[in-house]
Amino acid sequence: MDSLNTHKISSLYETFEPEEAFRLAQRLEIHFTPIHGSWVNIAEIELSAMAAQCLGQRCIPDLMNMNEELAAWHTQRNQSQKGVDWHFSTKDARIKLKRLYPLIM
């Protein structure tokens, strides 16, 4: 989740009764988005890698087997410390996306 001020556990307590807020909070595992780079691109890259490397074109018979396959892939992927190598610089973005920048006269 991003760092929006409403994306905090305390927001649950502002919205729900304390018992319900606590119950919901226990079900959440919060991962904040990176400060630098596009987190959507990173998520898309990881999902694409998972689909190609783990799931592929095969049929997985049931949810338990799929969870086992995904856990093994996830462990290997984390251990290999794959990162994102950005090739699109700010300078390139200003040229390619020139139409989005306001004209200053």
Side-chain angles (χ1 to χ4, degrees):
M1 82 174 52
D2 60 24
S3 300
L4 187 64
N5 63 344
T6 60
H7 295 167
K8 303 210 180 323
I9 296 293
S10 60
S11 297
L12 293 172
Y13 287 90
E14 293 171 9
T15 307
F16 300 102
E17 293 296 320
E19 297 79 19
E20 179 66 3
F22 180 77
R23 187 188 71 77
L24 292 170
Q26 296 304 301
R27 297 180 64 194
L28 298 177
E29 182 178 336
I30 296 175
H31 299 273
F32 290 98
T33 56
I35 295 170
H36 303 290
S38 170
W39 67 271
V40 174
N41 289 346
I42 294 170
E44 288 173 346
I45 289 167
E46 286 300 303
L47 289 171
S48 177
M50 181 188 67
Q53 297 170 2
C54 180
L55 303 176
Q57 296 294 320
R58 51 198 184 111
C59 181
I60 299 175
D62 56 45
L63 185 60
M64 188 174 78
N65 284 335
M66 183 174 6
N67 284 335
E68 289 172 1
E69 294 278 342
L70 289 171
W73 177 84
H74 176 263
T75 299
Q76 185 278 329
R77 184 80 172 172
N78 283 341
Q79 287 174 349
S80 66
Q81 293 289 305
K82 293 291 183 185
V84 176
D85 185 17
W86 299 105
H87 294 280
F88 198 56
S89 68
T90 303
K91 182 180 175 184
D92 294 337
R94 288 194 173 122
I95 293 167
K96 185 171 180 123
L97 306 172
K98 183 171 83 173
R99 63 184 169 73
L100 300 175
Y101 288 89
L103 292 176
I104 300 174
M105 306 261 180

